[in-house]
Amino acid sequence: MAEETESTKTEPLKTAEEEFKKLEITEEEESELKLETSDHVTFMVEASIAMKFGAVQQYLEVSPAASASATAIPLHNVASRELILILEYYRMHDWVDAGERDLKEFDERFLKDLNYEELKELLLAANYLNVEKLFNFLTKSIANIIRNKDVEFVRTFFGIDNDYTPEEEAAYREENAWAGVKFV
Amino acid sequence: MLNITVKGYRLLSSTGDRFPSLPVLPDELIIEILLRVSVRSLLQFKCVSKLWNTLISDPKFAKDHFRVSIADPNMAHQRLVSSGFIGPSKIRSFSTQLLFQNSPTPAQSHCFPTNANCRILGSCHGLLCLYDFRNGYVTLWNPSTRLQSERLPICGSFTYHGFGYDHLNDKYKLLLALKGDTVTKIYTFGPNSFTVIENFPRQETYPLGWQGKFLKGTLNWISKRKRGDPWVILSLDLGTETYGEILLPDGDCKYICKPVLDVLRNCLSVCFFDPIEIHWVLWLMKDYGVRDSWTKLTIIPCHLNHFYQPLCISEDGVVLLTTNCSELVLYNSNDGRFDYLKIKKNCGLHDRHIYYESLKIYLSSGLDGDLAKVSFESDFSKSSISKK
């Protein structure tokens, strides 16, 4: 209630932003940071989440003024699409009430919605942002995708050209053929 | 320039104008992914390209891969391995992950094409130290890559023994307290095969405790200095080749019976029977060598008069135990439940060890790399043919 009277006093126009603010269940006003993606979309992100990004931390170390000022912190190698996904992931994993099972279900759903290209884009973004938890999750997930797959699948997945001669390749395949046999 | 300020990312759907090129991952990210792939897949992926072959064959990659594998809480790279002690039996391995799932069908094991005369003396970095007791030699074998080191001849039988890695000198070492001539030798894999060290300061008692447990550059045994003395942990620093002692927890327990030493969660652990309370107590030493860091992990009630040796413990407190009847049991410390695992008969569950799958190729200075690449299989098939 107090928030409403205050907002009507200072700002008569109600924006979509404020509507959204009211929907939020946060009890206290949390400080936010302004992030700008490579496709020039600006995001207001809770500082508690933004500070998990190594790239943001590093930026603020160099120019600490950015945390309070209106200047956006530029994320040169992250497009808005990836940042939305990354924020979604971190919001869920940061949510105190999320149980282990909720997180597992969330992770599964999160992965299912991504195709291979999106998954790789997201890994590049996570790497650039230096977000450890998501980075580990993505590398582990890609490792699971290529596990037990054949060499052709892996070449296509990573876009790698085969530079072996057919003889060389046959020799290597023979040497490690036993590793492809089903194993319990 | 598009510049929208969005409060709350959920309001944004998609920017729509993303450049639709295929993302190419740089090599360092491909390496990060490959560090999380199983050894068997990696061996096959050597055929992907010449670069991948070089990368996967790099000893530094093997080291990093092992580091990532042991940190995996899902135990995906961990296997239980056992050899036969009495009667002909080959080396078998079980997926630890599957054992913890406690499937109603008998747990399948993988039988390695090794010969039947081998005992496992220890494991370290994914390498097993095998002792061929009929032909009198030891060898290092990586069951994941199936590569084997040169043979090291061993003369005579031994009581106390232990296998581990000396990180000061980058060498794998084997301690044997030889019977009869009462000499303790440390065999080093590579040139200068053995040195005689100060005699093993323990009497030949309690065969269950003869096998040393490797942890952080040391080998450890639980034993008594002499009859009537309290149990202590005797440790040997593999770098300096000197002995030391570690005291057991200063607990409330007056009597300690049938203690066994193990390595759980990369910590020294001791499990013993308390005859007054009639249960088993499992302790973990969180900081190696620091007596105050002993932590009581769980109490295991006495069940069917078995005695237990813990093999590994899951993150959520389920302990995989082996009994004196060669059974495998899962004990859930949260609800006190025992589950006896179904295993195919005649699996020869002796010399049980937990090892991590690794790409480790045994190489030491002065040893030709090609020598290490002798395939165990061809070696064993030859020897079994010649015997027939």
Side-chain angles (χ1 to χ4, degrees):
Chain A
M1 282 301 125
E3 196 193 304
E4 188 145 294
T5 50
E6 197 185 59
S7 70
T8 43
K9 241 186 276 168
T10 52
E11 184 65 73
L13 270 174
K14 279 196 173 180
T15 60
E17 272 184 62
E18 284 182 29
E19 284 292 353
F20 193 86
K21 199 189 281 177
K22 273 165 67 187
L23 291 174
E24 290 207 297
I25 319 161
T26 44
E27 284 171 9
E28 278 171 51
E29 186 76 8
E30 210 190 334
S31 66
E32 291 175 327
L33 290 171
K34 203 190 238 181
L35 307 180
E36 189 183 334
T37 54
S38 58
D39 49 350
H40 307 296
V41 181
T42 317
F43 288 76
M44 295 304 292
V45 178
E46 304 90 305
S48 61
I49 289 183
M51 287 308 282
K52 288 208 161 71
F53 304 169
V56 171
Q57 279 176 31
Q58 217 174 352
Y59 186 89
L60 290 178
E61 269 166 32
V62 180
S63 41
S67 61
S69 77
T71 26
I73 300 169
L75 305 173
H76 299 297
N77 290 341
V78 183
S80 52
R81 215 199 108 81
E82 274 75 50
L83 187 62
I84 290 167
L85 288 166
I86 292 169
L87 290 173
E88 190 183 331
Y89 180 87
Y90 271 90
R91 275 215 162 163
M92 184 63 188
H93 280 261
D94 227 32
W95 185 34
V96 277
D97 291 335
E100 213 171 291
R101 242 182 57 201
D102 301 326
L103 289 181
K104 216 182 147 205
E105 273 173 25
F106 170 85
D107 285 355
E108 279 168 16
R109 222 169 342 106
F110 187 82
L111 263 190
K112 236 172 94 183
D113 291 345
L114 297 169
N115 65 33
Y116 292 158
E117 261 49 55
E118 289 167 332
L119 195 57
K120 284 186 278 183
E121 291 278 15
L122 198 56
L123 178 64
L124 285 166
N127 182 48
Y128 170 77
L129 275 184
N130 190 5
V131 281
E132 201 189 342
K133 193 169 185 180
L134 179 64
F135 181 82
N136 287 339
F137 171 65
L138 293 172
T139 45
K140 180 91 208 151
S141 304
I142 298 177
N144 281 339
I145 290 170
I146 62 171
R147 192 181 62 169
N148 300 330
K149 294 286 196 315
D150 58 25
V151 171
E152 282 72 24
F153 177 91
V154 176
R155 280 184 193 137
T156 319
F157 188 94
F158 291 104
I160 294 168
D161 294 324
N162 177 16
D163 54 358
Y164 281 118
T165 64
E167 293 78 28
E168 282 173 333
E169 192 181 340
Y172 271 109
R173 277 183 191 257
E174 199 189 352
E175 191 185 315
N176 296 301
W178 63 269
V181 180
K182 203 183 170 303
F183 194 76
V184 281
Chain B
M1 186 200 282
L2 181 70
N3 200 340
I4 333 158
T5 300
V6 187
K7 166 76 201 195
Y9 56 91
R10 273 178 228 278
L11 295 177
L12 255 193
S13 53
S14 166
T15 57
D17 59 343
R18 262 173 69 236
F19 190 62
S21 71
L22 290 185
V24 174
L25 298 180
D27 291 346
E28 65 262 29
L29 288 190
I30 292 184
I31 292 173
E32 285 291 336
I33 294 166
L34 293 183
L35 287 175
R36 291 156 174 88
V37 170
S38 72
V39 173
R40 291 166 61 83
S41 288
L42 287 174
L43 293 175
Q44 288 182 286
F45 295 167
K46 282 183 172 185
C47 310
V48 167
S49 72
K50 285 181 181 167
L51 177 72
W52 275 44
N53 183 26
T54 315
L55 211 152
I56 295 168
S57 310
D58 183 0
K60 190 189 171 293
F61 178 79
K63 215 171 170 177
D64 290 344
H65 183 268
F66 185 74
R67 187 176 40 76
V68 172
S69 296
I70 57 171
D72 179 15
N74 299 321
M75 301 188 267
H77 308 279
Q78 206 175 318
R79 296 188 73 87
L80 168 68
V81 72
S82 76
S83 73
F85 186 55
I86 305 152
S89 168
K90 291 188 170 185
I91 290 175
R92 285 170 183 280
S93 90
F94 296 86
S95 150
T96 315
Q97 206 177 23
L98 289 180
L99 288 177
F100 271 91
Q101 283 168 11
N102 187 22
S103 146
T105 51
Q108 295 284 312
S109 66
H110 178 81
C111 188
F112 290 112
T114 53
N115 70 15
N117 309 326
C118 279
R119 282 193 57 197
I120 306 164
L121 297 185
S123 97
C124 174
H125 301 160
L127 299 172
L128 300 181
C129 179
L130 299 183
Y131 170 49
D132 184 322
F133 49 87
R134 205 151 289 169
N135 300 309
Y137 67 87
V138 289
T139 174
L140 300 187
W141 181 51
N142 184 334
S144 311
T145 59
R146 311 221 171 164
L147 299 177
Q148 181 204 16
S149 77
E150 84 281 27
R151 295 171 176 188
L152 208 67
I154 298 288
C155 298
S157 54
F158 48 87
T159 55
Y160 288 96
H161 58 274
F163 167 67
Y165 175 68
D166 163 12
H167 55 88
L168 284 183
N169 303 302
D170 186 24
K171 293 264 194 287
Y172 289 94
K173 289 180 170 178
L174 173 70
L175 173 140
L176 295 179
L178 293 165
K179 267 182 183 167
D181 49 356
T182 58
V183 166
T184 302
K185 284 179 181 172
I186 289 191
Y187 290 81
T188 304
F189 286 85
N192 307 325
S193 73
F194 74 86
T195 49
V196 176
I197 61 157
E198 187 195 331
N199 242 341
F200 200 85
R202 292 293 183 269
Q203 291 168 355
E204 292 176 15
T205 51
Y206 203 49
L208 192 70
W210 284 351
Q211 188 166 80
K213 303 292 173 185
F214 174 70
L215 182 71
K216 295 179 179 152
T218 63
L219 287 173
N220 302 275
W221 297 262
I222 189 159
S223 58
K224 291 177 175 182
R225 250 166 266 165
K226 56 181 193 297
R227 198 182 282 268
D229 276 1
W231 293 97
V232 285
I233 294 168
L234 178 79
S235 77
L236 176 93
D237 184 316
L238 284 170
T240 59
E241 301 187 351
T242 48
Y243 298 103
E245 271 185 7
I246 297 171
L247 297 176
L248 287 187
D250 197 10
D252 41 7
C253 192
K254 207 172 169 193
Y255 298 101
I256 292 177
C257 294
K258 297 190 163 75
V260 279
L261 194 66
D262 259 287
V263 175
L264 299 176
R265 291 183 181 155
N266 205 27
C267 296
L268 218 51
S269 85
V270 62
C271 181
F272 59 82
F273 183 65
D274 177 344
I276 296 186
E277 297 294 331
I278 320 180
H279 59 208
W280 293 79
V281 194
L282 178 58
W283 290 81
L284 206 67
M285 188 178 226
K286 295 206 163 162
D287 283 319
Y288 180 78
V290 180
R291 196 185 187 191
D292 287 343
S293 72
W294 279 113
T295 311
K296 196 188 277 187
L297 210 58
T298 185
I299 283 168
I300 306 169
C302 206
H303 196 243
L304 305 174
N305 286 329
H306 281 155
F307 76 81
Y308 302 116
Q309 183 187 356
L311 291 170
C312 69
I313 182 163
S314 71
E315 280 214 318
D316 53 356
V318 180
V319 197
L320 176 66
L321 304 157
T322 152
T323 71
N324 51 324
C325 301
S326 276
E327 287 156 318
L328 289 177
V329 190
L330 287 177
Y331 173 69
N332 189 330
S333 61
N334 306 304
D335 57 10
R337 186 186 152 122
F338 282 94
D339 283 303
Y340 282 75
L341 298 180
K342 291 198 183 77
I343 296 166
K344 276 193 171 169
K345 289 276 175 229
N346 306 323
C347 269
L349 279 176
H350 298 279
D351 283 346
R352 281 145 289 200
H353 291 265
I354 295 285
Y355 79 93
Y356 290 89
E357 291 183 306
S358 90
L359 285 164
K360 186 84 193 173
I361 297 172
Y362 160 68
L363 283 176
S364 68
S365 46
L367 181 84
D368 183 17
D370 288 337
L371 241 182
K373 288 196 175 184
V374 180
S375 162
F376 215 20
E377 252 133 294
S378 57
D379 191 29
F380 273 135
S381 48
K382 261 182 243 154
S383 66
S384 57
I385 291 165
S386 61
K387 241 176 261 163
K388 278 173 200 167

